[in-house]
Amino acid sequence: MDRSLRLAQQPDADALLSRSPLAALTGMLLDQQVPMEWAFTGPYTVATRLGRDDLDAHEIAAYDPEAFVALFSEKPAVHRYPGSMAKRVQQLCQYLVEHYDGDASAVWSDARDGGELLERLNALPGFGKQKAQIFLALLGKQFGVRPPGWREAAGPYGEEGSHRSVADITGPESLEQVRAYKQKMKQAAKKAGAKTGKA
């Protein structure tokens, strides 16, 4: 499938995300508590440090845990929390090996409907409901993975024309729109928190 993601805003890293289901899944896993571009550059950094042009779930699942943490911690670090995130990426790959023979795309390739796909994503280590819904929306909007009811299963992230998450980012302009939306949500949450604090 011909697709061109723009999540890392770095050509080589984006090319890997576009062609590798495991890289996209790993980028989504890393997308917390760091800027999005940093998170989605992570899979490319890991592949490069492993001397590969793609990630291999079998290789990562079997990798020595301490050596994998060291690989994440090398400067520049793959994530703000290299130790815990290296562990999570390994857990994700171990789960994929155990349940999907190491093939990340098997998570979604034969899902009967959006509900089943959401359940499968939600079961992945490191994926809560929100992360699962955002990745489902990304699959539908940018990977063309659209089982019946996928938009409903993705919740607000599945809405057409929205700018809520990485699922909606196709370039610098939409990145700014998503950032503005997140900023607005943060301010609203702060305001709500202040009100309840006073009560």
Side-chain angles (χ1 to χ4, degrees):
M1 198 182 299
D2 188 30
R3 57 181 167 261
S4 187
L5 298 184
R6 295 269 180 279
L7 301 177
Q9 307 279 311
Q10 201 256 67
D12 289 339
D14 278 328
L16 177 61
L17 295 170
S18 302
R19 70 172 188 271
S20 167
L22 179 55
L25 209 50
T26 302
M28 189 73 229
L29 177 67
L30 294 172
D31 187 21
Q32 58 191 57
Q33 297 170 305
V34 294
M36 181 202 77
E37 302 93 315
W38 184 3
F40 281 95
T41 301
Y44 178 73
T45 307
V46 172
T48 305
R49 288 177 185 175
L50 288 169
R52 307 272 182 264
D53 59 5
D54 194 358
L55 298 178
D56 180 325
H58 291 276
E59 179 183 18
I60 293 170
Y63 214 82
D64 175 72
E66 281 180 27
F68 201 59
V69 168
L71 183 138
F72 259 63
S73 306
E74 245 177 70
K75 295 215 175 346
V78 172
H79 194 277
R80 180 176 291 151
Y81 303 106
S84 59
M85 294 317 278
K87 197 170 159 185
R88 280 197 184 167
V89 170
Q90 268 203 302
Q91 286 168 342
L92 173 66
C93 288
Q94 285 158 354
Y95 183 91
L96 291 172
V97 167
E98 194 183 326
H99 296 270
Y100 296 100
D101 196 26
D103 177 9
S105 68
V107 176
W108 53 84
S109 58
D110 62 350
R112 285 189 304 271
D113 54 37
E116 184 184 359
L117 178 49
L118 182 61
E119 264 175 45
R120 289 182 180 189
L121 291 168
N122 216 351
L124 297 173
F127 277 67
K129 187 183 177 193
Q130 186 185 33
K131 200 179 271 288
Q133 284 189 314
I134 291 171
F135 194 75
L136 201 163
L138 178 67
L139 286 172
K141 291 178 176 183
Q142 300 202 43
F143 282 79
V145 176
R146 295 169 183 155
W150 72 272
R151 281 192 192 277
E152 293 76 5
Y157 303 106
E159 286 171 14
E160 204 163 350
S162 65
H163 287 98
R164 292 174 189 271
S165 72
V166 299
D168 304 308
I169 294 169
T170 51
E173 194 184 317
S174 47
L175 171 62
E176 287 315 311
Q177 289 171 301
V178 169
R179 285 239 160 94
Y181 173 81
K182 286 187 172 177
Q183 206 50 44
K184 205 169 81 183
M185 291 295 100
K186 250 188 204 151
Q187 284 162 351
K190 228 183 229 170
K191 248 184 212 163
K195 273 184 192 159
T196 52
K198 281 175 197 159

